[in-house]
Structures are given as structure tokens and as C-alpha cells.
Amino acid sequence: MIQLSLCMPSNRDLRNSASAIETALIYAQKRNCRLIVSDNSRDPEKQARYENSSPYLTYVVPDSDGALQNIAFALSKVETPFVMPMGDDDEIYGLDDRPAFDFAALPEDVIGVRPQTAIWTNSKGVDRIDRFSITADDAGGRILEYNQKAAGNNALYYSFYRSGLFKNLFSLFTEAHPTHGGYCDWALSFALCAAGKFLYDPSTIYRYDLGRWASTKGIEAANSSLYLQAGLPDTAERFSALLRFIDTHVFLISMPLSDGQRQHAQMTNARIALRSFLREVANAPDQYDPEVVYLAELIGETPDLTSAFQMSLLITDRLQEGLAARYVRFIQAAGG
């Protein structure tokens, strides 16, 4: 039985996506897995090259030009027990001198397998290689472990996952999230880490292209654009930790966890993200609406997570009117 699908939404033209597709196709041939490319580039040369070109490749063209719809369309074609999301500017390699990972033998408490992740930039080449696993026994511990080990880089997102879990989470995001913002990748990763352990596959190298995230100036521009593209005002980046706290909290509602594990994960998330936001407001109150400062002070004084979460939702309305109501619908969709 084929265990794995590489899932690549692609918007780049042939010249700028060929290396990603070709390395993934070679990997699929060597490892007897599937490559699914959902291509909304509208590049006829690219379509002519890859459509019906290999039994290992499922090449599809979605009706929509939207990035989110492209990802969802690619995921809809996944029929294997495991899936790996892949960017069309990244590359993947299977090492011949190491045995391929046996996904069928994974323990039930493992929901992901991370490759060797080579962090790459056009100017420097490989900057570092991440090889860490996430193995804490409880959901909150895994969130904390990832927060410490990630060192500000969310490349763990490009891992092998149990398909049902990953597709369900992404479906919730695409169907119900208030903004569908690209900034939500951290919240998605924290929720996935809470759901189960991540082991390490030394036989696979994933070359992650930092692209515009390679410099401080690029990071600032990229972060700002993510919020603007999500329809939020230009002040939204000041609320990034708050939004991450809320998004992760809601995603955790949908995760297959016991009530105790979920509550521990949500408390850990609050200690990481909500406390960060409260510090930012306390250190620069002039950068926020007085009502935001007042609510942040109240949150800091309450020991009850439910109350703190409800007040955090009120703050989102100071960022954008009506956002809190949209979050309520998101919570309901998650099962809260």
C-alpha cells in the first residue's frame, strides 16, 4: 500500500517551479509515493510538461486562482495515510545510503515525521540544518518544546503528517477562519504539535527556501504584507501575538485530545503568546487604543483562562470592527 503523498500547490511558472517539481517527482519515484501538484499558474508550457507525464504524478488545474483554494484542491486529491505539504520554491531529496522511513510502523501517539530541514537562501546557500524532534509526552509540553526549538523559524510545518488530522485542521482553517491569513502558519503548527509527537527522518532532506524572509528588511515587509493581504489594517502586526494566541486556542478545540490535555495546551499557549502581547502593550501603551490598554491590564489581572480569552476577543474588535463576531463563528465551527 502506498503510504505517502507529497502535496504541492503551485503558482509559479515553469521556470521558477521546475526544480521543486522535478526533485519531488524523483523522490516519489524512489520512495514509491505520490506527488500531487495543483497548478493555478495558468502557464501552458508548464501544463504541457507535467500533465499525464508520470504515473507517480497527479497534476491538476483548479478553477480558482486563490492561494488558499489551491492548497485545499491539492489536499482534496490526497488518498494516502500520510501527506506532506510542499512549497513550489522548495526541494526534497531522498538519501540512498539511508533506509526509507517506515510510516506504517509509526506509534499512534506520533502524528508527524520531520525531515532534515536545510534552511536555504539564495545569497548564502544552506544556512543551517534542523534535525530536532518533538517528543514531550503531553500536549502543552510539545507546544513549549517546539517554541523553544524552532528559534523563530516555522519550517517544521513542512513535515509528513497523518492525512486525516492534517486535512481536518486545514479544512477548518479554509472554511471557517475569519481572515484566512498567511500569518496563521504558526498557530497551525502549534496545534499540530499539541496533537502528537514528531519523529525525525534522517533519510529525507527538505531544502526550505527562506526567500523574502532571509533578511531583517525582508521579514518586516513580508510580515506586514501577510496582514494586509488578509484584509486587516496596517496596525495588525502589533496584534500578532494576540492573534496567534486566539488562533491556536481555537485550533486546539478541534484537536483529538482529552479535556485535560487540551486545557494544558491552551494554558501553555496563553503563557507563550498572550503574555507576549500583554508585555508589548505594557511596554508601548501609546501604540494602542486606550481600550486595548485597559483590557490588556484586566487580562493580566485575571487567573481564569476562559475570561482572558473572552476579553482577548473583545480586543480584536478594536483592531477591526466585527472581527470578534467572526471569531465566535470560527469557535463554533471548531466545536467550541
Side-chain angles (χ1 to χ4, degrees):
M1 178 181 177
I2 296 175
Q3 292 288 314
L4 172 67
S5 295
L6 305 178
C7 192
M8 183 190 298
S10 181
N11 180 253
R12 291 175 171 80
D13 61 16
L14 176 61
R15 184 176 68 86
N16 291 298
S17 63
S19 61
I21 296 174
E22 295 294 341
T23 61
L25 185 54
I26 292 170
Y27 186 92
Q29 293 167 345
K30 290 170 65 172
R31 296 294 174 90
N32 191 32
C33 63
R34 292 286 177 265
L35 169 61
I36 299 169
V37 176
S38 179
D39 176 26
N40 66 2
S41 68
R42 312 305 175 197
D43 180 354
E45 186 180 2
K46 184 178 174 184
Q47 183 170 357
R49 178 162 174 173
Y50 291 116
E51 193 170 39
N52 301 316
S53 64
S54 169
Y56 295 93
L57 171 62
T58 299
Y59 175 90
V60 291
V61 178
D63 294 331
S64 172
D65 288 335
L68 198 62
Q69 292 80 3
N70 203 18
I71 300 171
F73 194 63
L75 286 171
S76 73
K77 305 300 178 181
V78 174
E79 298 177 346
T80 52
F82 291 87
V83 62
M84 180 187 208
M86 183 172 174
D88 70 346
D89 56 345
D90 298 331
E91 297 177 3
I92 188 168
Y93 302 93
L95 301 180
D96 294 333
D97 61 344
R98 300 188 181 182
F101 200 92
D102 183 5
F103 292 98
L106 277 183
E108 286 300 314
D109 63 345
V110 175
I111 63 97
V113 177
R114 67 93 40 83
Q116 296 192 59
T117 306
I119 310 300
W120 185 90
T121 67
N122 189 49
S123 59
K124 296 181 181 178
V126 175
D127 185 57
R128 74 172 194 268
I129 298 179
D130 288 342
R131 300 182 176 92
F132 62 82
S133 55
I134 304 293
T135 57
D137 288 327
D138 64 272
R142 290 189 292 273
I143 288 179
L144 186 61
E145 184 179 358
Y146 184 50
N147 187 61
Q148 293 170 340
K149 290 181 175 179
N153 188 299
N154 192 32
L156 181 78
Y157 174 80
Y158 296 101
S159 294
F160 306 103
Y161 298 95
R162 294 189 186 275
S163 296
L165 181 73
F166 187 84
K167 291 172 70 174
N168 287 343
L169 180 61
F170 207 86
S171 177
L172 172 64
F173 174 58
T174 57
E175 294 174 10
H177 190 273
T179 72
H180 304 119
Y183 61 85
C184 295
D185 62 327
W186 277 100
L188 290 164
S189 289
F190 280 129
L192 289 163
C193 286
K197 299 177 181 179
F198 281 67
L199 299 187
Y200 166 56
D201 173 15
S203 76
T204 299
I205 296 178
Y206 188 89
R207 196 207 74 173
Y208 175 68
D209 184 356
L210 274 179
R212 58 181 179 169
W213 307 93
S215 66
T216 301
K217 185 176 181 180
I219 290 172
E220 292 173 354
N223 280 334
S224 178
S225 70
L226 288 178
Y227 295 100
L228 292 174
Q229 289 167 4
L232 294 173
D234 56 10
T235 56
E237 194 174 352
R238 299 174 195 162
F239 295 79
S240 60
L242 179 77
L243 294 174
R244 187 169 70 252
F245 160 66
I246 295 173
D247 289 336
T248 304
H249 187 99
V250 180
F251 285 140
L252 287 168
I253 295 172
S254 72
M255 290 290 96
L257 295 165
S258 69
D259 289 343
Q261 288 282 306
R262 181 176 295 103
Q263 290 166 8
H264 186 203
Q266 289 173 329
M267 285 296 297
T268 303
N269 171 52
R271 287 196 296 270
I272 294 171
L274 183 56
R275 282 185 182 177
S276 176
F277 175 71
L278 298 182
R279 283 195 302 270
E280 290 169 4
V281 176
N283 290 336
D286 58 309
Q287 296 295 307
Y288 297 89
D289 183 287
E291 187 173 343
V292 172
V293 177
Y294 172 69
L295 287 169
E297 291 173 349
L298 286 182
I299 292 171
E301 295 170 358
T302 179
D304 180 64
L305 179 59
T306 300
S307 298
F309 180 74
Q310 294 298 328
M311 285 187 279
S312 296
L313 290 181
L314 294 177
I315 291 178
T316 66
D317 258 356
R318 305 309 302 166
L319 171 61
Q320 186 176 72
E321 186 177 355
L323 187 55
R326 289 153 59 195
Y327 264 109
V328 169
R329 291 192 290 271
F330 179 38
I331 294 165
Q332 291 169 342

